[in-house]
Amino acid sequence: MDWILLILVVVWLGIVSWFDIRKSEIPHSVWVIIPLFGACFYRTWQGNWALVLLTVLVAAVSERERISHLIGWEEIGKMIIWFPLLFLGVYFSVQTSPFAPLAIIGFWVAWELKWWGGADAVATMTIIMIYPEIKFIFAFLTVHVIVTIWLTIKSLVKENTVRLHRIPGLPLLLIAVILFQMIKLLS
């Protein structure tokens, strides 16, 4: 089952990475929403409903304005209304896997602050639902730190300055999944 799941993840991330590299966006949000639902089902099947609850709450908070317009209740569109629910979601999920909930909140905050695109955040939450292990978070951080250092050195050498770079996030996520699998094989 692990190899089938890995192949599905790599093929999916390969396809969305290709779109991300070519056009800096995916063709439709279905490309990340359906895998997120699948990952939530998988994580529930594995027995970690609390992480699924947190992920569903984060997705709802991300869509708070649409939900507000849909049901006609303006207060639901305000972030402060959702904090108690998010706190409860984090509280329950931290007890079962301590690092994954914090990562999910971090990915969501990066999207809310416009540091990440929506597809990047949803795809990363999807992968965390599949691999909620500290080793994956380590692989993810390692890939991002290496790319950040490389781009900083590159801009220092070529432009004699340090600047922010916009790079496609989905290919980095694919590399992190591959690195995670290599780490698992070596340990």
Side-chain angles (χ1 to χ4, degrees):
M1 176 76 173
D2 289 343
W3 285 102
I4 294 170
L5 190 58
L6 175 62
I7 290 168
L8 288 172
V9 166
V10 168
V11 168
W12 166 63
L13 283 176
I15 292 169
V16 293
S17 292
W18 183 75
F19 286 123
D20 200 16
I21 290 169
R22 287 191 64 229
K23 297 186 178 190
S24 296
E25 64 182 8
I26 58 173
H28 197 277
S29 59
V30 168
W31 281 93
V32 291
I33 292 172
I34 290 174
L36 179 63
F37 285 140
C40 286
F41 176 76
Y42 174 76
R43 185 55 36 211
T44 302
W45 181 51
Q46 294 294 315
N48 193 343
W49 62 268
L51 193 58
V52 173
L53 173 67
L54 175 64
T55 304
V56 169
L57 285 171
V58 165
V61 174
S62 296
E63 298 297 322
R64 65 190 175 275
E65 292 173 6
R66 285 187 194 170
I67 294 170
S68 171
H69 292 298
L70 184 67
I71 65 172
W73 192 9
E74 190 175 316
E75 288 76 25
I76 288 183
K78 297 177 181 160
M79 179 80 73
I80 193 75
I81 297 297
W82 293 90
F83 280 135
L85 288 173
L86 284 174
F87 178 77
L88 283 174
V90 170
Y91 175 76
F92 287 126
S93 58
V94 162
Q95 295 176 26
T96 58
S97 61
F99 296 104
L102 300 177
I104 287 173
I105 293 292
F107 303 144
W108 169 67
V109 168
W111 178 77
E112 286 285 334
L113 294 175
K114 307 288 188 237
W115 295 345
W116 277 13
D120 298 333
V122 174
T124 308
M125 284 187 236
T126 301
I127 298 302
I128 282 290
M129 295 294 289
I130 296 169
Y131 305 119
E133 305 159 38
I134 188 68
K135 289 179 184 177
F136 172 73
I137 297 169
F138 174 75
F140 179 84
L141 290 173
T142 300
V143 167
H144 281 76
V145 166
I146 289 171
V147 169
T148 301
I149 291 170
W150 176 70
L151 288 173
T152 302
I153 292 170
K154 182 180 172 187
S155 66
L156 273 172
V157 169
K158 284 191 171 190
E159 302 166 7
N160 204 22
T161 186
V162 175
R163 66 180 181 87
L164 294 175
H165 297 271
R166 291 189 54 94
I167 56 173
L170 294 172
L172 296 180
L173 184 57
L174 174 60
I175 294 167
V177 167
I178 293 168
L179 178 61
F180 168 66
Q181 293 303 319
M182 291 169 42
I183 291 169
K184 276 179 60 173
L185 285 174
L186 294 174
S187 56

